[in-house]
């Protein structure tokens, strides 16, 4: 959800589905669309932050594992870790090689995700604060609408739930790219 056209489409769908009566209800629906836009965008951003940290997370893991293999070749091993981390996301053969290396230490792909989360915890915390703020705005908007017209608030909540449910939970795989199969 990045473009003004997508926002306009979301807003139009809500207006069409809810059929606000008069300028006040129209304003409530427009405000609700803006909050939904924020919620969807923040949730998508949360997944993207973790995806962006995945390569660095893998690199950190590999440096820790490789460091234990040949202490005297530290610089060469770090370069190898950096290259393997890059290749992991580009080449099925290298992905398999990395997963086998992780397996030797009792780790799997979830260790990469865990390291990525660790690297971006501060950013995720800030984003969660923003999400909580948006959700509070959303709940306040629904309460105001409910005070104005009870059935409008119920219709809006059902529409919003449907819209938010349609936006799947963040996937840790990059968009448009199927997970590599070993």
């Amino acid at each position: 959800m990045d473009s003004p056209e997508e926002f306009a489409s979301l807003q139009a769908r809500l207006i069409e589905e809810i059929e606000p009566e008069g300028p006040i209800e129209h304003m409530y629906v427009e405000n609700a669309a803006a909050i939904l836009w924020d919620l969807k965008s923040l949730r998508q951003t949360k997944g993207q932050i973790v995806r962006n940290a995945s390569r660095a997370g893998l690199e950190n893991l590999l440096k820790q594992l490789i460091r234990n293999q040949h202490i005297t070749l530290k610089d060469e091993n770090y370069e190898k870790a950096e290259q393997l981390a890059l290749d992991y996301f580009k080449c099925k053969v290298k992905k398999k090689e990395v997963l086998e290396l992780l397996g030797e230490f009792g780790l799997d792909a979830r260790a990469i995700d865990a390291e990525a989360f660790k690297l971006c915890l501060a950013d995720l915390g800030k984003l969660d604060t923003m999400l909580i703020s948006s959700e509070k705005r959303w709940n306040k908007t629904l309460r105001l609408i409910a005070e104005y017209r009870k059935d409008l608030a119920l219709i809006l909540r059902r529409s919003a739930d449907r819209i938010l449910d349609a936006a799947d939970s963040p996937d840790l795989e990059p968009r448009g790219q199927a997970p590599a199969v070993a």
Side-chain angles (χ1 to χ4, degrees):
M1 294 188 67
D2 298 322
S3 72
E5 294 81 16
E6 289 175 291
F7 174 73
S9 173
L10 168 69
Q11 190 174 45
R13 285 192 340 243
L14 276 178
I15 289 170
E16 180 182 326
E17 188 169 326
I18 294 164
E19 298 176 347
E21 298 172 7
I24 292 174
E25 288 184 9
H26 199 79
M27 178 194 68
Y28 279 137
V29 173
E30 288 175 347
N31 188 34
I35 295 169
L36 284 175
W37 179 265
D38 287 347
L39 283 169
K40 286 182 76 169
S41 295
L42 289 170
R43 289 177 182 176
Q44 290 171 348
T45 299
K46 191 173 185 178
Q48 189 62 46
I49 286 172
V50 175
R51 280 191 296 276
N52 290 348
S54 292
R55 191 190 59 74
L58 176 57
E59 190 176 309
N60 284 353
L61 280 174
L62 292 173
K63 284 179 179 178
Q64 292 171 33
L65 300 177
I66 291 173
R67 177 179 14 198
N68 296 332
Q69 291 181 351
H70 300 289
I71 295 173
T72 58
L73 301 174
K74 193 176 193 178
D75 290 338
E76 183 180 307
N77 287 335
Y78 279 5
E79 289 174 14
K80 181 179 178 185
E82 291 169 2
Q83 190 60 49
L84 272 174
L86 185 61
D87 292 344
Y88 174 87
F89 295 99
K90 294 180 176 182
C91 173
K92 290 180 184 180
V93 172
K94 291 296 183 179
K95 183 172 186 167
K96 183 178 179 185
E97 179 183 336
V98 168
L99 291 174
E100 287 173 359
L101 176 63
L102 291 175
E104 291 175 22
F105 293 89
L107 302 172
D108 59 18
R110 291 175 296 186
I112 300 167
D113 295 339
E115 187 69 19
F117 273 105
K118 185 176 94 175
L119 291 174
C120 57
L121 274 177
D123 292 331
L124 292 175
K126 292 174 189 173
L127 196 61
D128 279 340
T129 300
M130 295 169 68
L131 274 165
I132 289 167
S133 175
S134 289
E135 288 167 356
K136 285 180 180 179
R137 284 179 37 229
W138 173 247
N139 289 330
K140 182 178 181 179
T141 298
L142 287 178
R143 279 193 308 276
L144 290 171
I145 292 170
E147 290 173 11
Y148 183 77
R149 189 178 109 191
K150 188 173 184 170
D151 61 331
L152 178 62
L154 293 174
I155 293 168
L156 189 53
R157 177 163 305 275
R158 280 191 297 254
S159 295
D161 288 345
R162 205 169 27 260
I163 289 168
L164 290 175
D165 288 343
D168 294 331
S169 61
D171 183 8
L172 296 181
E173 291 292 330
R175 286 181 188 244
Q177 179 179 6
V181 178

